[in-house]
Every structure is written in C-alpha cells, then in structure tokens.
Amino acid sequence: MAERYWLMKSEPHVYSIQDLERDGSAPWTGVRNYEARNTMRDEMRKGDLVLFYHSSTTPPGVAGIARVSREAYPDFTALDESHSYFDPKSNPEAPRWYMVDVEFVERFPRVVPLSELREVPELQGMVLLKRMRLSVQPVTTEEFQVVVELGRKEA
DNA sequence: GCCAACGTTGGC
DNA sequence: GCCAACGTTGGC
C-alpha cells in the first residue's frame, strides 16, 4: 500500500525543523489530545510522509517534510514525573499517550505561511484550515503535492 | 497579550 | 449522558 500523508504541528521554540535536521530523527513527544493520539497510534505507518508545521510563531506555516521512522509506542514523557509533559493519569501498564518517531527529509527554502495556504483553491479542504487546533492530522495526496511545490519555490 | 474556537472535566 | 465551566491552542 502506498504511504499516506500527514501534517504535524510543533512550536519551533520547542522543536523546529532545524532541530530535526540536526538530530536526524526524534520522538514526537507531548501530544495530549485523543484524536491526535489515535491518528498516531492507529493510522500512521513507517514511511508515511509528514508536513512539518511551525505553530505559534510569525508567520505560522509549513517548514518542511519529515517521515515516520518508528510506529506508535508509549510516550515516555507522560510517565516521567519530573517531565513537564507528565500525566498522572497515565501509567506503564496502561499508557494513555502514544507517539511516533519521525526522521528529517527536507527543509523548504522558505516557510509556506498559513495565510498563503488559505488562498490556494486546491487547499480549501485541508483539515488545517478547518480544525485549527488539531495537532496531528491527515493530508490528501494532492494537498501534500501542492504544499511541497509551494515550499520548494524560492521566496 | 487578547481572545475565539473548541476539547475536556465534572456535577448532576 | 447532558452540558456549563474551565483550560488550552494558536492566530493575530
């Protein structure tokens, strides 16, 4: 089966595409929303491609591409009392929160701003534009291709 | 820093 | 199981 496409949000001051480029791969820690968790746990497969979105920054937008390198496993930060992502309702016997690992694929020569995505007719159906707060979300093949094409254009 | 959108919690 | 109150996300 062909790989699927996703979009994942991160605040760049917490973890950016530059950080992923430096690290090579990273666990996607800290997702504490059930729908986003279910997507990671039940649907994301190794090899799927991910639009890496920078949120809570100026401008917010898509910064590059990552790839799922490890399928879902328990988010250890939820089980670590000393961690700011600790969740007392999670425990090792019944982990509440899951994550995947992603690896660096490509950093666009520019961030494609959210304001620009809103203007593109082919992208009007994007979950990103309809479900502002969902941090892990599906992207169609066409949407992925259109965004990548925009990202690879020099600013 | 404000605040709209919206997901989660908890009383009933 | 409803829904009001609350807390968080994230654009602006």
Side-chain angles (χ1 to χ4, degrees):
Chain A
M1 193 171 80
E3 75 265 11
R4 297 177 64 184
Y5 302 95
W6 309 98
L7 180 145
M8 298 174 92
K9 295 182 186 175
S10 182
E11 299 183 23
H13 73 271
V14 176
Y15 200 82
S16 68
I17 188 92
Q18 289 87 347
D19 293 326
L20 186 63
E21 183 168 22
R22 178 197 63 214
D23 296 341
S25 70
W28 203 269
T29 57
V31 171
R32 298 292 180 267
N33 167 281
Y34 291 105
E35 188 174 353
R37 176 205 66 182
N38 293 347
T39 298
M40 289 197 294
R41 189 189 58 190
D42 304 336
E43 298 193 63
M44 295 179 88
R45 293 294 169 252
K46 191 171 177 179
D48 287 355
L49 293 174
V50 176
L51 295 174
F52 195 121
Y53 181 89
H54 283 175
S55 64
S56 295
T57 189
T58 306
V62 179
I65 304 173
R67 183 190 297 112
V68 177
S69 57
R70 179 177 173 184
E71 294 181 10
Y73 61 109
D75 182 340
F76 57 82
T77 65
L79 305 169
D80 176 357
E81 251 182 273
S82 68
H83 202 284
S84 60
Y85 292 157
F86 176 64
D87 179 355
K89 293 181 202 154
S90 195
N91 67 76
E93 289 71 40
R96 173 175 297 219
W97 304 113
Y98 285 77
M99 62 191 178
V100 297
D101 286 357
V102 299
E103 62 188 1
F104 178 79
V105 175
E106 175 177 340
R107 175 149 73 97
F108 295 151
R110 63 177 191 127
V111 171
V112 185
L114 176 62
S115 59
E116 185 174 333
L117 300 178
R118 289 191 197 283
E119 304 294 315
V120 180
E122 294 92 326
L123 301 181
Q124 292 313 297
M126 273 191 95
V127 175
L128 181 69
L129 305 185
K130 305 187 157 183
R131 305 276 315 279
M132 190 181 74
R133 294 182 49 180
L134 188 60
S135 65
V136 177
Q137 54 182 254
V139 172
T140 69
T141 305
E142 187 194 11
E143 289 162 357
F144 185 86
Q145 288 168 349
V146 168
V147 173
V148 169
E149 195 172 316
L150 292 171
R152 285 176 180 159
K153 281 185 194 164
E154 287 294 340

